[in-house]
Amino acid sequence: MRHFLTIKDFTKDELLEMITLAQKIKLQMKKKEFVPYLERQTLGMIFEKSSTRTRVSFETGIYQLGGVGLFLSSNDIQLGRGEPMKDTARVISRMVDMVMIRTFEHLKIEEFANFSKVPVINGLTDSFHPVQIMTDYLTILECGIENPIVAYVGDGNNITHSWLMLSAKLGFELRVATPKEYACNSAVVEEALEIAKVSGAKISFTTSPQEAVEGANVVTTDTWVSMGQEDEKEERIKAFKGYIVDNELMGKAQKNAIFLHCLPAYRGYEVSEEVFENHANEIFQEAENRLHAQKGIMVWLDNHRDEDMNE
Ligand code: CP
Ligand code: NVA
């Protein structure tokens, strides 16, 4: 049995298989062919943080695959009142067929997975957001970009860490521009650079957004204040001055460069209103692709279950 906790746990071929499955299922859906790949399966969806896209895409996705989603906010289940993660895992995984979790420390999802009898999917932790970056890659392919040169500008956060892992695994170029004090986690960087030696991915770090974006064909960013960092808002806004993706910065990228944003976006901070609206097509195609990419991941995990897992 496999869990989808981080991108680094999969080979390049496995990741591409998931993307291919997503493309196939998306095409089927566009032709109104709803194939019940996960018939009668239940997806438990545990949320310790807010969500619009993750909740709607997983719940709709499992339904379209023939199953049902169970929304479990930590405010409503005993987890929120202190029931241990490992007990929650041992209970829920005896009743459902797959679990998606959005939580804080990455260790918590690892603990859940250790005690789970069913595959667990990371719907965002403080450290990684792998389903988002798989979605972004699907979107890049759909935009006809064969050799991505991705420039990420902003906070060295869960989104950036997942970009690092995907670039390292698949071998595309990634340039990361962050303020020095908001750089990526050094252990994640080291790991990504090690993996990149095998794939040949060119990964670079700078504090200059201009340097990162020069000649890129994909420009992306994320909020400067992630969930759980609300208290740091004022100091973060000061530290990220100059990191807004605006028309001037986009002007350094290739002429037909796309702009992606995982959303929610905060205009006037990490992205200008103009850049956001000029690239709304790609951004909302990316948002829709959450639905399709995650179907590919869920079906792939279902195909790789141990046969005796539900004994
Ligand atoms: N991008 C993303 O994960 O959005 P939500 O927080 O709305 O789920
Ligand atoms: N980095 C953001 C991503 C939101 C989808 C956060 O963790 O809040």
Side-chain angles (χ1 to χ4, degrees), residues 47 49-57 102 123-124 129 131-132 159 222 227 261-264 286 290 294:
F47 283 90
K49 290 176 175 169
S50 308
S51 166
T52 298
R53 281 141 289 268
T54 305
R55 177 184 176 176
V56 177
S57 56
R102 167 167 286 195
L124 181 146
H129 196 3
V131 292
Q132 178 69 56
I159 290 284
D222 183 23
M227 289 180 276
H261 194 308
C262 65
L263 303 177
E286 175 190 12
R290 289 292 300 275
Q294 291 160 190

Side-chain angles (χ1 to χ4, degrees), residues 49-51 53-54 102-103 123-129 132 152 155 157-160 222-230 261-264 266 290:
K49 290 176 175 169
S50 308
S51 166
R53 281 141 289 268
T54 305
R102 167 167 286 195
T103 187
L124 181 146
T125 62
D126 289 346
S127 307
F128 298 103
H129 196 3
Q132 178 69 56
Y152 176 95
D155 187 20
N157 63 12
N158 44 10
I159 290 284
T160 333
D222 183 23
T223 180
W224 296 338
V225 186
S226 284
M227 289 180 276
Q229 298 172 337
E230 291 76 8
H261 194 308
C262 65
L263 303 177
Y266 298 90
R290 289 292 300 275

Side-chain angles (χ1 to χ4, degrees), residues 275-293:
V275 166
F276 189 91
E277 292 303 334
N278 285 344
H279 293 272
N281 280 349
E282 295 117 61
I283 295 168
F284 291 105
Q285 182 178 343
E286 175 190 12
E288 179 192 322
N289 276 339
R290 289 292 300 275
L291 177 66
H292 310 298

Side-chain angles (χ1 to χ4, degrees), residues 35 44 108 115 132 139 157 184 189 206 216 224 229 251 271:
V35 184
K108 286 170 96 173
F115 284 90
Q132 178 69 56
T139 312
N157 63 12
C184 293
V189 169
T206 172
W224 296 338
Q229 298 172 337
V271 61

